[in-house]
């Protein structure tokens, strides 16, 4: 490859021994740049990949002096193998695990009755949150909020019940041979992290740094005294805060460099991406490749349709199937199937174990919550979809999904589309504009409210998946928003 000036600057800083934080925009060749650094040194290195597939792909591009692994693979080699007998144990309902931990009584908080099943689910979710954190012990901070108990006082009551059981569960997980709680890969990663491990290497490369869990961040930063650290990512693609990840790029004390030349798309799409980067107050702006002609405008037959939510994806799948198209869904239909089955349970008067709906006794209870409680408004599209089509039709649609290789169109959430690209991309209609503010303009019309940074980052991820054509679709409202002037 002929490196760009930015890639050459990164290589020079790396060979000078600097710790590096490399902001790499969408399509700018971040893995190729890391491989370039590694090929120009004889030192031993390790590459920490976000998942196993990325690690396998990277291994083919890096020299033999660099080992490409996930953090979990390192943890398993050091610690996890001691728990091999507990891994992949048969799945068991959360309530059975809770019963073994002593969760046997229903409690009442506010107007909600929390059964042993709900308390067991909350306990196991608390342990998961702790495993993703850098904290040494389980505290109230790790107890997730439940729908219907958003009030701080009610949540505080919940934490008082959950924390002791979660600590009991974590004690159970320390046993190497057997226990009540099902042992998984995040557990041995956390156990390893608590030992303050030292990774024996000359330099350590961390990919997708903007989505790093605090537990992996701590492991990475603790190598600073003996290894050169290089993290690469895109702060504007930090879209997983809701599950514990956080962007460590901007706070890392290192030489800060950028990769801004995108080899995925042309100048027109780069301008659209820069609009969202500006709104998100991101630290870089993109340049497109002049040789690539990427159009931004309406289209009839996209290769991929990107949605904001799982419910939006469900609705889009049904519309595309009704139009006679063969449809694929990135990640498969399990998430949609679980939502539809949970909705069916509630409609038939049965409680569900779905984490979003676990506190609701009936479908009417959920409808009332979505209509009258501000915290439940995002569930209204699910209710509308189920009430319009019925759960049987939704489940039938999921069963008709095809593989991507055989499909006419691929549907995905923007989150699951991250790292992917298609020639022609359309944005789904569930990317709705922000609510109007209380202010009025000179004509007496409501002034649109500000655009949330997290929503701008998600929009940036969505629009940068296209190579040849982008249909803004559900994001077209940006053309008329006062904060959306293109750069």
């Amino acid at each position: 490859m002929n490196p760009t000036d930015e890639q050459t600057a990164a290589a020079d800083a790396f060979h000078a021994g600097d710790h590096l934080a490399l902001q790499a925009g969408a399509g700018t060749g971040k893995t190729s740049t890391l491989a370039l650094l590694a090929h120009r040194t004889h030192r031993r290195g390790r590459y920490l990949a976000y998942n196993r597939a990325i690690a396998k792909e990277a291994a083919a591009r890096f020299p033999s002096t660099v080992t490409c692994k996930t953090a979990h693979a390192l943890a398993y080699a050091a610690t996890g193998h001691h728990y091999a007998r507990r891994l992949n144990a048969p799945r068991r309902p959360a309530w059975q695990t809770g019963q073994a931990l002593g969760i046997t009584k229903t409690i009442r908080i506010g107007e909600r009755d929390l059964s042993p099943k709900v308390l067991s689910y909350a306990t196991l979710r608390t342990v998961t949150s702790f495993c993703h954190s850098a904290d040494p012990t389980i505290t109230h901070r790790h107890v997730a909020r439940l729908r219907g108990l958003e009030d701080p006082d009610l949540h505080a009551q919940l934490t008082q019940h959950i924390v002791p059981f979660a600590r009991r569960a974590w004690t159970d997980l320390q046993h190497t041979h057997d226990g009540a709680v099902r042992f998984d890969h995040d557990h041995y990663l956390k156990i390893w992290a608590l030992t303050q491990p030292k990774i024996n290497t000359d330099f350590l490369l961390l990919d997708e740094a903007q989505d790093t869990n605090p537990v992996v961040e701590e492991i990475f930063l603790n190598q600073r005294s003996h290894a050169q650290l290089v993290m690469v990512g895109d702060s504007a693609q930090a879209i997983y805060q809701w599950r514990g990840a956080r962007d460590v790029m901007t706070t890392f004390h290192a030489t800060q460099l950028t990769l801004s030349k995108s080899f995925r798309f042309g100048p027109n799409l780069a301008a659209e991406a820069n609009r969202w980067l500006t709104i998100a107050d991101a630290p870089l702006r993109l340049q497109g490749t002049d040789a690539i002609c990427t159009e931004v405008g309406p289209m009839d037959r996209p290769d991929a349709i990107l949605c904001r939510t799982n419910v939006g994806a469900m609705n889009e799948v049904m519309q595309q199937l009704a139009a006679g198209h063969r449809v694929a869904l990135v990640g498969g239909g399990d998430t949609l199937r679980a939502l539809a089955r949970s909705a069916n349970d509630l409609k038939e008067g049965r409680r569900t174990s779905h984490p979003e709906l676990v506190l609701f006794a009936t479908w009417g209870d959920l409808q009332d919550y979505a209509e009258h409680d501000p915290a439940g408004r995002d569930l209204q599209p699910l209710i509308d979809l189920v009430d319009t089509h019925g759960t049987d039709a939704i489940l039938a649609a999921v069963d008709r999904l095809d593989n991507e290789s055989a499909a006419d169109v691929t549907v995905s959430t923007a989150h699951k589309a991250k790292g992917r690209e298609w020639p022609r991309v359309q944005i789904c209609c569930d990317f709705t504009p922000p609510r109007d503010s209380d202010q009025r303009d000179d004509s007496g019309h409501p002034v649109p409210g500000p655009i949330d940074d997290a929503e701008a980052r998600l929009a940036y991820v969505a629009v940068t998946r296209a190579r040849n054509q982008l249909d803004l679709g559900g994001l077209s409202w940006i053309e008329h928003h006062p904060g959306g002037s293109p750069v």
Side-chain angles (χ1 to χ4, degrees):
M1 60 180 291
N2 294 319
T4 65
D5 290 344
E6 291 175 326
Q7 290 170 325
T8 300
D12 290 344
F14 176 72
H15 292 299
D18 296 356
H19 297 301
L20 291 179
L22 194 56
Q23 289 280 357
T28 58
K30 60 183 177 64
T31 305
S32 298
T33 303
L34 291 179
L36 172 70
L37 305 186
H39 275 287
R40 293 189 176 184
T41 181
H42 296 293
R43 294 181 297 154
R44 296 175 304 111
R46 288 184 180 268
Y47 168 88
L48 281 184
Y50 185 68
N51 58 42
R52 188 184 303 174
I54 294 174
K56 183 178 180 180
E57 180 183 345
R61 305 173 70 175
F62 280 85
S64 59
T65 52
V66 176
T67 303
C68 301
K69 298 284 187 180
T70 64
H72 284 88
L74 294 180
Y76 184 83
T79 300
H81 66 278
H82 296 301
Y83 298 84
R85 285 182 56 179
R86 292 192 63 175
L87 279 168
N88 302 316
R91 294 188 179 275
R92 60 190 305 194
W95 67 266
Q96 287 187 2
T97 301
Q99 193 173 57
L101 294 172
I103 304 174
T104 58
K105 297 179 180 179
T106 297
I107 66 170
R108 188 169 184 83
I109 299 179
E111 298 180 355
R112 304 281 180 186
D113 288 325
L114 279 67
S115 67
K117 178 188 291 187
V118 172
L119 295 172
S120 300
Y121 158 76
T123 296
L124 297 179
R125 190 175 175 187
T126 298
V127 173
T128 298
S129 177
F130 166 67
C131 288
H132 292 167
S133 76
D135 301 323
T137 57
I138 294 175
T139 70
H140 67 279
R141 298 196 309 111
H142 305 116
V143 181
R145 296 185 180 276
L146 294 178
R147 285 189 181 274
L149 293 180
E150 290 88 353
D151 180 84
D153 290 337
L154 299 180
H155 180 70
Q157 293 179 48
L158 175 67
T159 64
Q160 291 175 4
H161 287 280
I162 295 301
V163 168
F165 289 120
R167 289 175 176 170
R168 190 176 301 174
W170 182 244
T171 298
D172 174 272
L173 288 165
Q174 309 309 300
H175 303 305
T176 55
H177 296 303
D178 56 41
V181 183
R182 188 174 188 267
F183 196 93
D184 68 29
H185 299 279
D186 282 345
H187 296 145
Y188 66 71
L189 175 63
K190 181 63 176 180
I191 292 170
W192 181 57
L194 290 173
T195 68
Q196 301 290 307
K198 177 181 178 180
I199 300 174
N200 187 21
T201 187
D202 296 323
F203 62 88
L204 187 60
L205 311 175
L206 177 64
D207 201 359
E208 298 290 351
Q210 78 283 347
D211 289 327
T212 301
N213 284 336
V215 64
V216 177
E217 174 196 354
E218 181 186 44
I219 294 168
F220 177 80
L221 295 179
N222 282 347
Q223 314 309 311
R224 189 179 188 118
S225 62
H226 67 275
Q228 183 184 11
L229 303 184
V230 179
M231 60 170 57
V232 62
D234 184 353
S235 290
Q237 294 192 53
I239 58 175
Y240 288 108
Q241 289 93 336
W242 52 275
R243 71 179 190 193
R246 71 178 191 176
D247 174 27
V248 302
M249 296 286 294
T250 53
T251 58
F252 180 47
H253 296 297
T255 299
Q256 300 275 341
L257 297 174
T258 60
L259 298 178
S260 62
K261 176 79 169 182
S262 180
F263 305 102
R264 179 180 298 163
F265 42 74
N268 289 339
L269 201 146
E272 181 60 40
N274 286 338
R275 174 184 1 220
W276 295 102
L277 288 169
T278 302
I279 296 169
D281 197 25
L284 83 161
R285 301 292 180 269
L286 289 176
Q287 305 171 39
T289 297
D290 291 334
I292 303 176
C293 180
T294 308
E295 301 177 7
V296 179
M299 73 178 80
D300 293 327
R301 295 296 299 272
D303 298 300
I305 301 173
L306 305 186
C307 308
R308 184 186 176 281
T309 65
N310 285 315
V311 176
M314 185 187 298
N315 193 44
E316 193 61 48
V317 164
M318 297 191 69
Q319 290 186 35
Q320 293 296 320
L321 288 173
H325 300 148
R326 301 184 69 177
V327 184
L329 181 68
V330 172
D334 288 347
T335 298
L336 305 190
R337 188 178 288 110
L339 272 172
R341 287 175 174 170
S342 297
N344 188 64
D345 286 341
L346 292 176
K347 287 179 74 70
E348 294 186 356
R350 298 189 300 269
R351 285 190 176 271
T352 175
S353 59
H354 194 285
E356 287 292 297
L357 312 177
V358 70
L359 282 186
F360 302 99
T362 66
W363 185 249
D365 191 14
L366 180 63
Q367 288 174 314
D368 183 69
Y369 171 78
E371 182 178 357
H372 299 294
D373 193 318
R377 287 174 181 164
D378 62 315
L379 291 173
Q380 193 60 53
L382 170 65
I383 292 169
D384 294 341
L385 185 69
V386 171
D387 287 343
T388 300
H389 299 284
T391 54
D392 288 343
I394 295 171
L395 290 169
V398 172
D399 289 338
R400 292 173 58 192
L401 291 170
D402 276 296
N403 294 323
E404 288 191 51
S405 59
D408 301 318
V409 61
T410 297
V411 175
S412 176
T413 63
H415 285 91
K416 290 179 181 175
K418 192 167 173 291
R420 300 285 304 274
E421 59 183 63
W422 293 270
R424 295 154 53 88
V425 172
Q426 185 178 72
I427 307 300
C428 181
C429 60
D430 66 340
F431 279 86
T432 54
R435 296 177 183 273
D436 289 338
S437 68
D438 295 332
Q439 299 177 342
R440 300 273 174 171
D441 61 20
D442 295 339
S443 303
H445 298 112
V447 175
I451 302 169
D452 182 73
D453 284 356
E455 294 297 320
R457 290 195 297 270
L458 190 61
Y460 162 70
V461 169
V463 301
T464 53
R465 301 308 97 195
R467 294 197 301 267
N468 305 122
Q469 187 172 3
L470 170 70
D471 183 347
L472 274 175
L475 286 171
S476 296
W477 54 263
I478 193 62
E479 303 285 2
H480 309 290
H481 193 281
S485 298
V487 177

